[in-house]
Amino acid sequence: MLVFPQDSNLTKHTNLPDLPACFQLSVLPWTPCIYLWLASPFYILYLKKNNRGYIMMSILNRIKTVLGLMLWIVCWTDLFSSFHEMSQNQSKPPIYFVTPLIVGMTMLLATFLIQYERLKGVQSSGVLFIFWTISVLCAIVPFRSKIVSVLCFQNGVEDKLRFTMFYIYFGLTLIQLILSCFNEKPPLFLSVVTDPNACPEITAGFLSKMTFWWFTSMAIKGYKSPLENKDLWLLNKQDSSELVVPNLLNEWEVEKSKAQSVSPEEEEEEEEVLLSKWKEVRQPSFLRALLRAFGPYFLIGSAFKLLQDLITFVNPQLLRLLIDFTKQTNAPLWWGYSLAFLMFGTSLLQTLILHQHFQYCFVTGMRLRSGIIGAIYRKALAITNEAKRSSTVGEVVNLMSVDAQRFMDLTTFLNMLWSAPLQIILALFFLWQNLGPSVLAGVAVMVLLIPFNAFIAMKTRTYQVEQMKHKDDRIKLMNEILNGIKVLKLYAWEVSFKEKILQIRQKELTVLRKTAYLSALSTMAWTSAPFMVALTTFAVYVTVDEKNVLDAEKAFVSLSLFNILRFPLNMLPQVISSIVQASVSLKRIQDFLSHDELDPESVDRRNNASGNGADINVMVPQGSLLAVVGHVGCGKTSLVSALLGEMEKQEGQISIRGSVAYVPQQAWIQNATLRDNILFGRPYVEQRYRCVLEACALTPDLEVLPGGDQTEIGEKGINLSGGQRQRVSLARALYSEADVYLLDDPLSAVDAHVAKHIFDNVIGPEGALKGKTRILVTHGISFLPQVDNILVMVDGRVSEMGSYQDLLKQNGAFAEFLRNYSLEDIIEDDEEEEEFPEDALSNHTDMVDNEPVVNEARRQFMRYTCIFNASRSASCFGFVTSNPKKMSRRRRCSERKHPESPTEKKEPKLEKLIQAETAETGRVKFKVYWEYAKAVGPFLSLFICFLYGCQSAASIGANFWLSEWTNDAQHNRTQDQVSMRVGVYAALGISQGVLVMFSSFTLALGKIQAARKLHQTLLDNKFHTPQSFFDTTPIGRIINRFSKDIYVIDEVLPSTILMFLGTFFASLSTMIVIICSTPIFALVIGPLALIYFFVQRFYVATSRQLKRLESVSRSPIYSHFSETITGTSVIRAYGRNAAFVLMSDMKVDENQKSYYPGIVSNRWLGVRIEFIGNCIVLFAALLAVIGKDKLSPGLVGLSVSYALQVTMSLNWMVRMTSDLESNIVAVERVKEYSETQTEAPWIVTDKQPPPDWPPKGNVEFADYSVRYREGLDLVLRNISLKVEGGEKIGIVGRTGAGKSSMTLCLFRLLEAADGEIVIDEVKISEIGLHDLRSKLTIIPQEPVLFSGTLRMNLDPFEKYSDEEVWKALELSHLKRFVSNQTSKLDLECCEGGENLSVGQRQLVCLARALLRKTRILVLDEATAAVDLETDDLIQSTIRTQFEDCTVFTIAHRLNTIMDYTRVLVLDKGQIAEFDTPTNLIAQKGIFYGMAKDAGLA
């Protein structure tokens, strides 16, 4: 068959080329047939498995079928004519029988496939499209040669029948090709038809899928207006959690069952197995499960990758032919054109195949993540408590976020594991053919660079760890500073803390600088590697042997092969490291998934409620109330857990009749609305719901919450007090209408009167649950007489059981328990009174009458009712409606403990306290780039660009020199100049490397400078910002600027800029080179640049918004997960596992819904940009062919090899533009907070008061008014009073009367709206803030400590000697405590002073005041925080130590101020009474009423 006697003259060296007839009859028609017969078995199998429902016969389908049959008839007409001729004794060669037979059969197969696809619901067939394309391409040659032969031989057509038939055949295949571009209707009953927002990919045609054309609609939508969640398509069915997760879990189950089925021989050797470690039972392998679940799909991607790798090497060969072509003077032009188009074709094919491969890999990655997250979530709901304890919530959430993410990232690279070695081997093979053994020199350089890069990577990693540590320290300190900013302002300590932050920042920047220098080195290696390789190879090649001549073919083909080599060599180390990471992750996930699970059968849910655990026998009759009591840790909660089936069961049985409701000791609250928390997935019934709220005493709380029962509850119930949480938890149980109620100490968190209400209305014999079986774990004795049975537990055993009366008679453990507790109970009640009933003022007497210590209780009560003095938020409810309990709790747990005016709560519509954070949409303004350039330094910015320009110039110069060098070969002036050629080439290349390094270094300097500047301005501004800003801005937002945005500016932004500049100049130099060699190329650039610009704008707009949506939808997955882990027992008790799994799946799908278009947008962009790159290749080659007489082969090689590289840099340039735009936003956000309005200057030089000011301590308010913020009402109105030095003034008044405001005004935390304050003849509004604040002292209501030594907390500026500090500690009664510590004054305080008790913290604040010892002291009396002893200590110290100072005390308990000089009573911001305490009591005014309430009058 392969006997082609004609020589190549017929084909190549003529202006009318033609292929031999034999070839035309055999190979060409057979090619498509072989393809189809090979592909169809696999294809039919695939269709059998993936049936999507059938498609109705359509006109399109009918036409295709008819055409297929016609083609079959045409082919067989040929066959029969051959038989006919045979019968006429005209013998034909066998090929005339074989070919039509084969082609005819193939056409029948194609027709069969058309119908089979219709039945299986394929809308557009790739297999057939490729078949028709190959057929048409193969038929073009005979098509032309037949016409040519007719024109050449004048005697007309010899074989008319075959001639006609061939053209009919050609026409029909062409029509089939065109028709196969169109889509069929979607199959019947496909969900897509019904779903308005389905992903168009499902119905997209083959061509549309290959070029990702179906994505264009979203790109356009995203360009017109920023995308929102509703614009996103639904996930494809096969990517959704509902299919992916069960699939993975089934495989995992199979794995586990395999691992468990140990063969019998092994069982006999059980003892040996135990002895010998190496005979372990094989662990179920999660990897196998993953491979079985996701492997097959991933392999399709790998097949694409293999194809792409092979095609990659076609282009260098074509380049060789092209350069060869330009050398030959007589070569026909058609050969050049076909080479150019072949190059274009292979590039195009490579693009399409590569992006298909990526698509498959990314989708696999996406499914992997869904699967792993789903598996972990489901496991977390089922594992035993013991297993749960072995890993913290954070660790498990990490499995989900970090480890699942690692797998996702790995899938994209995984194919590189075999593809990189393959590429390297192929490249080396071709290089060896080209240059012989001298290639090894180049390869050696590459191999040497690998350890160099690895070393740099290791160093960088250690630096990164160090930097993370500094960053964490900085954020932690920043967080503390922002939480205690008020105290810093009051003490005028800002400077000291600013220094601390800047010190940490300095360390951070030093590490950053080291990292930057390292990365500059690695950039240099990366950039100059290809050049160094080429240099060594060429130098060795030329010097080894005189005969070796470097011509254009060798040089540029080698260069393009080296460029191919660069990628796999760089990727391999990365892939290996990410595989190592993923294997660690795999192990962790596998361990987690192999934990023991709870046995769902451990509790028998049928017969009566009874239980027997560790020798426990309990029988609870239906409908009775059993109280379980006992000391702490005696196993009460374990009993409840056992009933729920949460404990490991050793022996015995537990059975419960009916459904269960469970109230845990620590209430578990979801991040949902209050109503959803109570309904917990049950339908809403108005009547029942109201009753439940009423019974659980939640109705008054709803009135207080901003949105009633639709209020969104924060994570872990952050915006509810402890008591409220417990009651919501109880309400959930009550609403669920179960048969058995397990109540684990639900009354501990609520206060006494509420506990009574709940017991009476819910749990007790008359409550809503009467008639249900109730098991109540409790510590409160008061309710025990009313329960049916009492179970007393001691050390995990039941010691006795019976009714209250019986147990008292027995005088056993229970009686002893009662005796112990009754004493504690009274003391406890004292503490409990923290939370009094709503109408406390009117009837608190009858509540406490039966208490022995009425007076004490009243005193307590006064302390508690005035608890929220500074929390203005309470004022609008007045006293009577407010619920002190809630306020007090809220007062402590809320983030904003700062004063807030009364008007705000009443009219929430007026102005939201916290403005929503604005997210920038749309394009980033040029101004922001300019801001960053200014921070880097405008001159430096220009210089960096200039260096990049130089480096590109050097690289172009080196390559031009190479092309000149290769031209020597033609003119035979080789040997004499070798050393000169090599020398200059080396010099240019090395200078390029040096320039790269310089530009990276300067960029590093610039980035450090910018980072320092931007952080410095942000920090300065935040320390100078007035208090009101911190009241209205959540701390999280400010911290976010300091952590995330500064991190982006430090690390992400500079590397993006580096890549961007690199790719930009690379693309630019390509254009320059091509234009230099073929100037006419400039015409093509215009239209291509236009397309590029459009694609880029569409992509950037869409992908930026998709990234935002993706990151917004990611955090709910993790927060929902960590919430679930903490509440597993509740979820299981109520049997809500499935619902929660569904919620998690929905959240994951929601996230993947925005992630998927993000992947596709990259593919969409890639195909389009690479198409532009391929066009550049095409035009460069075409123009080289046209201008072949004027061009030297060296120039052709140069311009085409540059063009072959451009695709990559164009693609990256668009990505980098997009990244640059998303990251530069950080600069904008930091700028926004660096320019907020500042407070008055800290020091006014020309108005500085004398150093001993104030000498006497006289204070005068003159007609003084103040408001919190612009646009709010006045808090103090026209206050005028004079205080002589040394007077002691008590300030009293209701909540919201303006007591705290007076003190804040003295410190100018609030600036006057009107009037003046004068201290010793100095108007305080004229001097600097620090001059004022450092001369006053305050003991604040809430003691704030910062992490650091005790010494630093007392004296941050180190002004005082150790003796003075010890003296102050002695006077503040802390000396004993501190001297008992090992580290004495260097005692480390934790964040917020957590390791000291509240009382000790208050004493530390007193010590601060004693150290400063200023003329004027403000005492904002502590409320619930401090016990009475501490309070009395503080009072007595103040009386003795501050005898001659002016003292202002904001009093909550009147007995502390009864001996003060004068008392100021404020009411609604005005002075109501101002006189000595005795006179005021005599006047019988407001003060008298307060004193009477406190039992002092």
Side-chain angles (χ1 to χ4, degrees), residues 1416-1431:
I1416 298 176
L1417 171 72
V1418 178
L1419 175 64
D1420 194 344
E1421 192 179 280
T1423 50
V1426 187
D1427 51 298
L1428 299 177
E1429 297 101 306
T1430 319
D1431 233 34

Side-chain angles (χ1 to χ4, degrees), residues 574-634:
Q574 271 190 7
V575 174
I576 288 167
S577 78
S578 69
I579 282 181
V580 170
Q581 281 185 340
S583 66
V584 175
S585 297
L586 180 75
K587 173 124 184 49
R588 290 173 40 174
I589 293 176
Q590 187 170 308
D591 289 347
F592 180 74
L593 290 180
S594 308
H595 277 323
D596 294 340
E597 296 190 15
L598 284 175
D599 172 17
E601 302 305 308
S602 65
V603 174
D604 169 22
R605 288 273 162 108
R606 282 188 305 278
N607 61 352
N608 222 9
S610 70
N612 38 17
D615 307 335
I616 293 183
N617 292 300
V618 186
M619 175 83 195
V620 188
Q622 197 165 347
S624 69
L625 166 56
L626 168 75
V628 179
V629 296
H631 293 289
V632 176
C634 66

Side-chain angles (χ1 to χ4, degrees), residues 41 268 484 539 557 609 642 645 647 665 776 903 1204 1224 1232 1255 1432 1457:
E268 292 162 21
V557 173
M647 304 292 275
Q665 208 162 358
L776 169 71
T903 55
L1204 284 173
I1224 200 88
E1232 173 197 359
D1432 297 337
I1457 56 163

Side-chain angles (χ1 to χ4, degrees), residues 1262-1267 1274 1276 1278-1279 1311-1317:
D1263 209 11
Y1264 190 85
S1265 310
V1266 72
R1267 58 167 54 95
L1274 292 173
L1276 295 178
N1278 317 344
I1279 292 213
E1311 295 286 1
D1314 208 5
E1316 281 290 356
I1317 298 179

Side-chain angles (χ1 to χ4, degrees), residues 1232-1243:
E1232 173 197 359
Y1233 272 27
S1234 310
E1235 287 160 2
T1236 47
Q1237 177 195 358
T1238 51
E1239 57 187 358
W1242 283 346
I1243 291 174

